[in-house]
Structures are given as C-alpha cells and as structure tokens.
Amino acid sequence: MRHNFIDRYAALDSPLHILEPRTKLLAFTALIVGVLSIPATNGFLFFIYAFAIAIMMGFSQVPLNYIVGRALLLLPFILLASLAAPWKGYLGFGVLFVRAILCLILLILLTNTTRFAELLRGMRKLGCPQILAMNLSFLYRYLFVLTEEAMRMKQARDCRRTASAPFKEELKLLSSMLGTLLIRSFERAERMHSAMLSRGYSGDFPVISPRKFSWHDLAFLSVVTLFIVSTFCFTNR
Amino acid sequence: MTEYAVRIIQLSYTYPDGTRALEKIDLDVPCGERIAIVGPSGAGKSTLLLHLNGVLQGTGSIKILNQKLEQSGLREVRRQVGLLFQDPNDQLFCPTVYEDVAFGPLNLTVPADEIQRRVDKALSDAGLNKSIRSRSSHHLSLGERRRVSLAAVLAMEPAILGMDEPTSNLDPRNRHHLIEVISGLKATLIIATHDLELVLDVCPRTVLMDQGKIWADGETRKMLADSRLMDAHGLEVPLSLKLGFKSK
Amino acid sequence: MHIPDGFLTNRIALSLDVVSGAGILYAARRAKVDISGRTAPIMGMLAAFVFAAQMLNFPVLGGTSGHLIGGSLLAVLLGPLIGTLTMASVVIAQALFLQDGGLVALGANIFNISAVTCFSGYAVFKLFGKRIIVEGKHLFLAGFFAGWCSVMVSSACCAFEMGLSGAIPLHIGLPAMLSYHAIVGIVEGMLTGGVLKFLLKVRPDLMKDEGGTGFGIPDWIGAMLLVAIPVALLIVAGSSSLPDPLEKLLGATPIASGAVPANPLSSSRIGDYMIRSAAFILLVGLGILVSRLVRSRRSRS
C-alpha cells in the first residue's frame, strides 16, 4: 500500500517549505477567508487571487499534475453542490465553483508544503489543547497501521465469500470485523502506553521544533497581509 | 561479591482477567551478563520483561542494581532499564524517527545539546544512517523500524536492556544485521525469544520458562542440546547443535 | 457531508470556527483526561480506528457505498466529551490529509460531524436506560437509534448551514440531505448496534468505564447552550446577511433577477420544492429497486 499519499511533497525545500508552520497556518487561513470574501461580481479580483495562488504554486515546487490530480479527486462533490446552487444562472454556479476550487488548491498547497509533525507543532503553539495535538499525532502515526489491518481483514473476507450475501448478513459480518478491529486498537493502545511508560513518559509530550520564526516568515506574512488588505480596499472602492 | 543487575525473588503476577502469568519466579542476573529467556508462546516471557521497569507490578520483590523497585523510584528505574517491544509499531508512536529516538531522553530531562548527541549516537549504534532522522516510521521497512526502536531504547543509555523477540519476522539479512548490533552492545541483556540460533550466538546463559514458571536455568549449549527438555516445553534442539556446527 | 471551503459565507464559517474552538477547549478542560494515563493513547488509537474503519465500506445501493461514521459509537464507548474530542481530531485529519472539508469550514465540520453526532448519539443511547450497557438488553436497538439519529441531526445541521449561507437553498438541501442520510443512517445505526453487541459478547470489560467521565446535568445544560448559541447566531447571521456575496450578484446582474424570491420558503416555491423532493425520493426508490433486481439475478445465476 502506498503510504505517501498524505504528505508526499512535504519534505521538499522550497521557499514555502522553509516557513515556520504558524506563519503558514495563519497566512493560508487568511488567504482562504480572502477568497471567500471576493464579491461575486468582481471577476478581476478572482483573477488576481488565482494569479497569486499560481505564483505560490510555482514557488512551492509541488508538481502541478499532483495538485490538479488531488483537486480532481474532490471535484465531483464540489460540482454537484455547485449545480444545486439556487441562483441557477451560470454566473452563480461559476462563482461557487471557482471559490471552492481556489480554496481547495490553497489547502492542498498548505498540506503539501508542511510536514504534518510541524503543522502539529504550529497548531500547538497557536493554542490547540495538548490532548488534541497528541490525538492527531497518534492518528497520523497509526492510521497506516490500522488501515493495513483493516485491508487485510477485508481481503480475508473477500477470499471466503463466494456470492454476495444478503444485506443483513453483510452488515453483521462488517460489524464483527469492525468490532475485531476496535478490540485490536484497544489492545495496541495498551501496549503503546506501556512502551511510552518504559521510556520515562509522565504526561509531558515533548515538542522539538527545528524551525524558528525568521525574517522569511516576517516577509511572507507582510506580503500576504498587504495583499489581502489591498484587495479589500479594492473591493470597497 | 558479584554485582547483580536484576534480582527477582518470588515474583507472581495475575492479569486482571484472572489469568495467572507468573508464578513464584526467582531469577538473578549479574551485571554485564547476557541471558536468554526461552519458552513457548504464552509462557510469561513478555510479562516478566514488563516487570523489569515497573510497567506491570506483581507480588514479590524485584531489585534493579541493588535498588528495590518501588512506585516512588520508577523514574530512576526506567532510566536504567530499557525495553525493546516485539512489535516496533507499538514502540514508535511519534511522527518522525528523530522525535521517537529523542522521546526517552527528553522525558529524562536531558539538556538539549546532549539530546542531539545521544540521538546521533543511538542511531549509529543501531546501525542506521543519519538521513533516517526526519523520516516517518510508517515509511520504513520492518527491519529499519526494529532498529529505530532499538535506537530509541539505546538513547536512554540503559544499564539493562530487555528485548522481546528482537528477531521475529525479519528476513535473513536484517536478522543477521540485528544480531551483530546486539552482540556489540555493552548493557546487561535479557532476551526473550524463540530464536534459538540467536540465543546460541549471543547468550551464554539460558532460562527456560513455561506456564509462568522457570523450569531450567543454566548454560545455553547444554540446555538447548537436551532434546527431552526441549520437547517437553514445545521447543526443539537447534539445527546447528544437532549437526554439530558452532563447536567452539 | 464534509463541507468544503466556499459553500459557507465567511460570517457563518467563522462564527462556527469560534464556537467549535471554544467547545473543544471546554471539552479538553472538562474531560480532565489524565495525560499520563491510558486514556490519551486510547483516544488517539480510536481516532485512527475511525479513520481506518471508514475504509471498510460495502455497497449500499447502485454505485454508492456505506461505511461507519463512528461518532455515536465513540460517544457510547468513551463518553460524549472525549468522543467529541476524538472525532474532532478525525475531522481535522480528514481536512489536512485528504483535503476532505475545508480549512475555514473546519469549525462547521467539527460542529456537525463530531460534536453533534457524539452528543445526539449519546443522548439517544441514554434514553434507553442508564444501565443499558451493563444489562445488555436492547443494546442493538439503542445503538441503532443512536447511530441513525446522530446522522440525521448532523445532516440537518449541515443543510441548515449551507442553506443559510445561500449556497444550497434550504428547501432543496434539507429534504435532499435528510432523505439521503435516512439511508446512510440505517447503515450507521446497524453498524453501531452491531459493533456494540459484538463488543459486549467478546470484551465486555472495555465497555464498563466510559472513559471515567460522568456527564451530569450542568454539562447537559452547557452542551445545550453550546448548541443553542450557534443556532441563534446562525439564524441572526443568516437572516441579516443571507446572500452576502450573492445578493450583490443578484443586485448587479440582470441574468438571474426576478426568478428568485427573497424568502426561500415563500409559497411560490413550495410546489417546486415538493416536486423536487418527490423526484429525489423516487430516484432513491428506483436505486433500491435496481440494486435488488441485480442482486436477485446474481443470486439466481
């Protein structure tokens, strides 16, 4: 199974990658809010934002076809929801669609230019409760372990199954599989806890942060702020 | 007088669900010795290892380096006793290798520059390249993961090292490499395993456990060659002994 | 059910961000998880479990497939507060790993998928009696209704938020979401009930402690407030600024003018609304029929 579909390009070394995670979290959130507040009639601003995002994509060194591929994966839902848009004119649909796509690309950029461990450190420093950060870190680590376990169970089920069982049987089988997976998760958590205790764990989950807030971050943040403020001024004129 | 790394007297343990795992275990391990604990699955080997640093606490007494193991001194004991778990997935719970290896020293409040040095040393002692530091555990092979787990334990610079099935599921090359790494370690070693060839290579002394009790304790080559004893406890005489290889 | 960025107005998305953020901080403080104890690893591992469990899907009808969502299951196993925290980490991970759900819309998604499912599921489960886990009677039924209701309430919240944002009008979104999730909910309910029954049979000890957090009356009041405040906020935000970007669009462009009444539920729309929901229900029925037919043919051959 491929393990790198989550943060495949997060280990590159581009101008976007070297930023401190807090900077990126704040800046990208601001940019998404910016995209969301572009008035629908202002085609020019959409263009400006698209241009800015394209520049960042260029700097990020994340391959274009990867970004497009990821965006395409989520496209059906966005299309469907946009089609249900009430003001059925093409413009209403187009605006919703473009907004969603721009935000999606920003999110893809954020997650593919930051290692998850660093993203977590950023969140932690921005005031995310420790228990949630720990949860996310464990989730990231054990996601693949448990998914592999789940896939093995699924294979074993598919091997034994000859014809499709009735709906109810199928559900019963699935719930016992899920139950087994759940019990194994519990047991693994206990083993992991003893491994943590064995290495002196006493409630403090240490954080090591290799990246410091530097002039890069200051520069990036000020450019983004300037950009957003100027687009706002432009809107209100 | 010999210094004892571990002295266990009359240790018994019953799991919360009522299974008796250990029954009146007595075991002395002098400092610097390497002993193997062999026995069939479910014999209580892993449970015994978990007692060495107080993760599990049964009745009876355990002395680690002449210190009685008690609730208050657990921190100190965990600094002295490192445990290598069977499944490296249970032991590597941090997002990156570096954090995993640094986890132990950080908990022992080792100063920052010292941590860096320890992580590097532990990784090279475990036979790993420096470039592995920033990778995520789920991108590693099983052999690498097992060695990272070992590095994570070594980074705490333990005086006593307990290992649970260190060579299980490894392919021959990785197994060989790991045995080499283990042979080079200076700590007192307690290895619980089914891999009798490993025992022959590394440990001069062997303890045979079955059903929570110790059945035999003595020189490795003599015990492993005793086919009646081996058969009675679900083990078999290693091929190399049968065929007369490895004669010293 | 994960709302991507772009479908909620800033006002609604950001106010839900604030609500969810505050809710999580409150839950993290109130749950009093002993960080050095077992609960923290168990929470993390169960979060990973929910993530992995969603990969174990099976065909429901036609091309779609169902899987466990897990909010009510976690709430029953861990208690609603810890369940919410655990589900919240799943939702955050889905946004960050798979871009499933947006970043600014994260607050809304956490609210819908973790808080609402956990609390509604837990509340419904507890309706079946306090000692239901210990006694094990009607356990499947309680699990089923907990799962079903949690999905329905959650999808209704989702439809409301989208409707108030002017992305998908309520009179289309609500019946569509509810009727679709009525079916998804059946799967969720049966899986929740089934897993609970399985656990009781195999490892009843895992179900006794509920993570050690009792949930008293003050907490229920707090939780109600936590739900009531955003709803009020939404209604205020929604009515004062319903189509904040889209209004400008309407005012400015003649293309779509006239056809849209100011009130999405005005009488001229009701006929349209009934036709749409009828069409949708017909479609769903057709789907079920087709999948039945396919199945019976397959089993005969």
Side-chain angles (χ1 to χ4, degrees):
Chain A
M1 196 185 150
R2 277 172 53 217
H3 281 170
N4 54 358
F5 67 90
I6 283 178
D7 46 4
R8 190 146 164 213
Y9 295 102
L12 295 177
D13 209 19
S14 78
L16 272 184
H17 285 80
I18 59 168
L19 292 172
E20 217 251 2
R22 266 181 299 178
T23 314
K24 267 188 276 190
L25 270 174
L26 290 177
F28 276 80
T29 312
L31 280 172
I32 291 178
V33 173
V35 171
L36 293 179
S37 41
I38 305 174
T41 48
N42 202 330
F44 181 64
L45 260 190
F46 274 113
F47 184 72
I48 294 274
Y49 264 95
F51 187 64
I53 291 170
I55 289 178
M56 292 210 300
M57 270 159 70
F59 270 120
S60 73
Q61 294 174 6
V62 180
L64 187 65
N65 58 3
Y66 175 77
I67 298 182
V68 172
R70 284 236 63 116
L72 280 181
L73 219 62
L74 292 164
L75 203 61
F77 177 69
I78 291 180
L79 262 181
L80 200 76
S82 310
L83 276 176
W87 291 273
K88 273 177 254 136
Y90 293 111
L91 199 57
F93 161 71
V95 165
L96 261 181
F97 182 70
V98 170
R99 266 208 201 111
I101 288 288
L102 288 182
C103 294
L104 186 59
I105 291 177
L106 278 171
L107 188 56
I108 295 174
L109 263 185
L110 171 66
T111 47
N112 276 289
T113 57
T114 324
R115 284 169 191 276
F116 185 66
E118 282 186 40
L119 215 51
L120 270 185
R121 281 180 216 128
M123 284 167 64
R124 185 92 183 79
K125 281 186 193 160
L126 286 172
C128 161
Q130 191 190 358
I131 182 74
L132 195 69
M134 265 173 83
N135 250 349
L136 280 167
S137 138
F138 289 150
L139 197 166
Y140 175 70
R141 174 65 188 88
Y142 286 100
L143 166 63
F144 298 103
V145 177
L146 294 191
T147 307
E148 257 167 31
E149 226 157 89
M151 286 303 156
R152 277 201 299 272
M153 288 166 80
K154 195 180 155 112
Q155 267 172 7
R157 175 191 69 175
D158 292 346
C159 285
R160 275 180 297 177
R161 185 169 54 184
T162 48
S164 72
F167 184 69
K168 227 185 124 186
E169 285 301 309
E170 195 99 355
L171 267 177
K172 213 174 156 190
L173 187 65
L174 187 61
S175 35
S176 61
M177 277 165 70
L178 285 171
T180 312
L181 191 64
L182 187 66
I183 290 173
R184 287 192 196 164
S185 312
F186 264 107
E187 288 168 351
R188 190 181 285 282
E190 306 227 318
R191 290 199 301 272
M192 179 174 103
H193 185 234
S194 24
M196 288 165 76
L197 288 181
S198 300
R199 278 193 274 154
Y201 175 74
S202 56
D204 242 359
F205 214 83
V207 177
I208 328 162
S209 186
R211 298 205 198 281
K212 294 258 157 18
F213 195 83
S214 70
W215 63 271
H216 283 121
D217 300 289
L218 203 65
F220 184 71
L221 268 185
S222 38
V223 168
V224 168
T225 318
L226 217 66
F227 177 75
I228 292 174
V229 168
S230 60
T231 54
F232 265 116
C233 293
F234 190 79
T235 316
N236 293 338
R237 207 175 43 179
Chain B
M1 200 185 104
T2 38
E3 285 273 325
Y4 284 107
V6 179
R7 295 202 83 165
I8 300 175
I9 298 163
Q10 296 282 304
L11 177 69
S12 298
Y13 182 73
T14 309
Y15 272 106
D17 64 358
T19 325
R20 259 177 109 57
L22 299 176
E23 266 187 84
K24 298 189 176 161
I25 298 279
D26 288 305
L27 183 66
D28 289 343
V29 184
C31 278
E33 199 179 37
R34 297 171 171 186
I35 81 161
I37 303 176
V38 299
S41 305
K45 297 175 305 228
S46 311
T47 313
L48 182 60
L49 285 184
L50 284 174
H51 277 84
L52 291 182
N53 65 359
V55 170
L56 293 181
Q57 291 173 1
T59 56
S61 100
I62 301 179
K63 273 187 180 170
I64 304 289
L65 298 167
N66 285 330
Q67 279 299 307
K68 202 164 173 349
L69 200 154
E70 279 164 339
Q71 195 64 41
S72 58
L74 277 185
R75 238 185 130 75
E76 189 52 36
V77 166
R78 284 176 186 161
R79 186 196 293 268
Q80 305 287 3
V81 184
L83 283 192
L84 184 70
F85 285 67
Q86 184 174 359
D87 184 351
N89 277 336
D90 295 339
Q91 195 151 18
L92 305 177
F93 39 76
C94 295
T96 64
V97 167
Y98 182 84
E99 281 166 278
D100 254 320
V101 178
F103 183 85
L106 275 170
N107 279 322
L108 301 176
T109 53
V110 172
D113 45 334
E114 166 79 3
I115 284 178
Q116 186 77 24
R117 189 193 66 75
R118 278 202 189 189
V119 171
D120 286 343
K121 184 165 182 308
L123 284 175
S124 75
D125 281 353
L128 287 163
N129 198 315
K130 251 188 185 178
S131 65
I132 207 170
R133 292 206 311 196
S134 58
R135 296 182 54 196
S136 302
S137 312
H138 57 253
H139 291 159
L140 306 177
S141 71
L142 179 66
E144 286 172 316
R145 256 181 270 166
R146 181 115 343 120
R147 269 178 273 153
V148 173
S149 310
L150 183 60
V153 177
L154 290 181
M156 297 177 70
E157 301 187 343
I160 302 163
L161 187 52
M163 300 185 178
D164 195 355
E165 302 285 2
T167 53
S168 64
N169 289 328
L170 288 183
D171 62 47
R173 186 198 304 168
N174 273 310
R175 178 175 165 276
H176 205 75
H177 190 161
L178 194 78
I179 292 182
E180 248 169 52
V181 169
I182 293 175
S183 316
L185 297 175
K186 295 208 170 49
T188 306
L189 290 181
I190 301 173
I191 305 178
T193 186
H194 296 293
D195 183 351
L196 300 183
E197 301 287 349
L198 162 78
V199 176
L200 277 174
D201 276 348
V202 179
C203 306
R205 178 180 158 201
T206 299
V207 172
L208 176 72
M209 267 184 89
D210 195 2
Q211 296 172 342
K213 290 180 204 138
I214 290 183
W215 294 81
D217 182 348
E219 200 198 326
T220 299
R221 303 179 70 83
K222 222 183 257 168
M223 189 190 300
L224 296 192
D226 182 347
S227 61
R228 265 185 46 213
L229 185 69
M230 292 283 105
D231 281 348
H233 297 288
L235 299 166
E236 62 179 357
V237 177
L239 209 58
S240 56
L241 274 186
K242 265 190 203 163
L243 300 177
F245 297 156
K246 291 195 181 174
S247 49
K248 275 184 185 165
Chain C
M1 218 164 39
H2 294 72
I3 307 175
D5 281 328
F7 289 87
L8 297 179
T9 55
N10 272 336
R11 228 167 295 204
I12 289 178
L14 291 175
S15 55
L16 278 171
D17 281 344
V18 172
V19 168
S20 294
I24 281 180
L25 285 176
Y26 169 78
R29 178 160 302 182
R30 184 64 186 72
K32 282 192 198 128
V33 178
D34 174 15
I35 301 239
S36 64
R38 297 181 320 161
T39 318
I42 284 180
M43 283 168 74
M45 201 62 81
L46 289 197
F49 160 77
V50 169
F51 211 110
Q54 304 201 340
M55 307 258 183
L56 281 177
N57 48 13
F58 74 108
V60 181
L61 36 99
T64 60
S65 58
H67 59 71
L68 183 78
I69 294 162
S72 42
L73 180 65
L74 287 189
V76 170
L77 286 178
L78 301 172
L81 283 173
I82 296 185
T84 301
L85 280 174
T86 312
M87 271 313 270
S89 54
V90 174
V91 173
I92 294 173
Q94 280 165 336
L96 293 180
F97 296 162
L98 310 172
Q99 288 88 40
D100 206 354
L103 189 63
V104 174
L106 199 54
N109 285 329
I110 289 178
F111 182 76
N112 296 340
I113 301 172
S114 63
V116 169
T117 53
C118 286
F119 276 87
S120 58
Y122 187 77
V124 171
F125 189 80
K126 285 286 149 171
L127 283 184
F128 281 77
K130 267 185 185 156
R131 294 172 49 76
I132 178 146
I133 284 186
V134 189
E135 286 162 359
K137 236 196 269 170
H138 307 306
L139 185 64
F140 180 82
L141 216 60
F144 177 83
F145 278 108
W148 190 79
C149 290
S150 72
V151 171
M152 289 303 270
V153 178
S154 158
S155 68
C157 285
C158 179
F160 263 107
E161 287 152 18
M162 301 262 255
L164 289 173
S165 290
I168 299 173
L170 204 56
H171 61 278
I172 302 172
L174 192 63
M177 285 292 268
L178 283 183
S179 44
Y180 175 65
H181 282 98
I183 298 164
V184 172
I186 291 177
V187 174
E188 169 78 359
M190 292 185 81
L191 287 179
T192 306
V195 170
L196 286 175
K197 236 174 97 178
F198 180 84
L199 273 188
L200 187 73
K201 207 164 62 188
V202 184
R203 287 286 300 271
D205 54 307
L206 293 179
M207 303 180 64
K208 294 280 159 63
D209 56 357
E210 254 181 44
T213 43
F215 204 72
I217 292 170
D219 295 294
W220 277 113
I221 295 173
M224 292 293 179
L225 279 179
L226 210 67
V227 177
I229 290 167
V231 168
L233 254 174
L234 282 182
I235 289 171
V236 171
S239 59
S240 69
S241 67
L242 175 68
D244 71 348
L246 286 154
E247 197 171 39
K248 286 176 192 155
L249 166 78
L250 291 176
T253 53
I255 311 170
S257 65
V260 183
N263 179 0
L265 274 177
S266 76
S267 59
S268 65
R269 276 270 163 175
I270 284 182
D272 182 37
Y273 148 70
M274 281 168 71
I275 291 169
R276 272 162 191 269
S277 31
F280 186 84
I281 291 163
L282 260 176
L283 213 68
V284 171
L286 210 67
I288 297 176
L289 212 69
V290 168
S291 70
R292 292 236 77 151
L293 277 176
V294 170
R295 177 160 297 151
S296 62
R297 280 190 62 178
R298 216 193 277 159
S299 58
R300 234 179 285 152
S301 60

